[in-house]
């Protein structure tokens, strides 16, 4: 077994199989599944999605948001558009709205791992590591080959362990202080 230097765990968001610049891993099975699902549901036109992605890359989030809203008005159930909307909301700091979209997507398409992963990223960013763990475990159940979810789950486990360690350290420190209080009071 090789050992690597300890590092601060980092939960990685993904933009899903929809080819966004921060995509850290594009699993072929998920990509094929998403494309088949999109085709079956009458997905948004590739040109429209490409336009939104270009606006996002250019930092024109207001324009991207307006265009997404137009497209979603026509195809409100389109998973690709909804996912992009969730990503845009996350990047804009509107996490409550992003959570609603990712929860809805994961309910409608439980086989897609990416919405669960992005939910986990939001939860972890809020320090809600138990919820992040549950979301990542659901991502893995939906797609057991989704490497990003495994990486993020490892990072969440590390943060949960660190929290437990801090709690233990706090309890020991608190106990130690309580044991010394009578000594301090006697000296005063």
């Amino acid at each position: 077994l090789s050992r690597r230097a300890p590092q601060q765990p980092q939960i990685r968001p993904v933009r899903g199989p929809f080819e966004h610049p921060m995509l850290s891993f594009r699993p072929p099975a998920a990509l094929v599944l998403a494309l088949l699902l999109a085709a079956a549901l009458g997905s948004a036109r590739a040109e429209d999605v490409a336009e939104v992605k270009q606006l996002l890359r250019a930092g024109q989030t207001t324009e991207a948001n307006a265009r997404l809203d137009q497209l979603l008005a026509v195809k409100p159930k389109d998973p690709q558009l909804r996912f992009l909307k969730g990503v845009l909301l996350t990047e804009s700091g509107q996490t409550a709205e992003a959570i609603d979209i990712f929860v809805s997507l994961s309910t409608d398409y439980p086989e897609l791992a990416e919405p669960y992963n992005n939910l986990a990223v939001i939860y972890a960013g809020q320090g809600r590591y138990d919820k992040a763990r549950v979301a990542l475990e659901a991502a893995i159940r939906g797609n057991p080959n989704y490497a990003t979810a495994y990486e993020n789950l490892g990072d969440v486990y590390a943060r949960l362990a660190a929290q437990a360690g801090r709690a233990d350290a706090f309890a020991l420190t608190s106990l130690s202080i309580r044991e010394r209080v009578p000594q301090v009071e006697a000296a005063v």
Side-chain angles (χ1 to χ4, degrees), residues 116 129-139 141 153:
Y116 289 113
Y129 299 116
D130 282 326
K131 288 193 96 153
R133 178 189 51 79
V134 169
L136 289 166
E137 288 170 351
R141 274 192 307 277
L153 185 58

Side-chain angles (χ1 to χ4, degrees), residues 29 58 78 87 91 128 178:
D78 185 276
V87 169
E91 291 176 357
R128 298 162 66 188
R178 276 186 264 136

Side-chain angles (χ1 to χ4, degrees), residues 38 41-44 72 75-83 105 109:
L41 296 173
S43 179
L72 283 166
K75 294 194 179 276
K77 290 291 186 183
D78 185 276
Q80 189 172 12
L81 294 174
R82 290 166 60 194
F83 189 85
L105 266 172
Y109 307 101

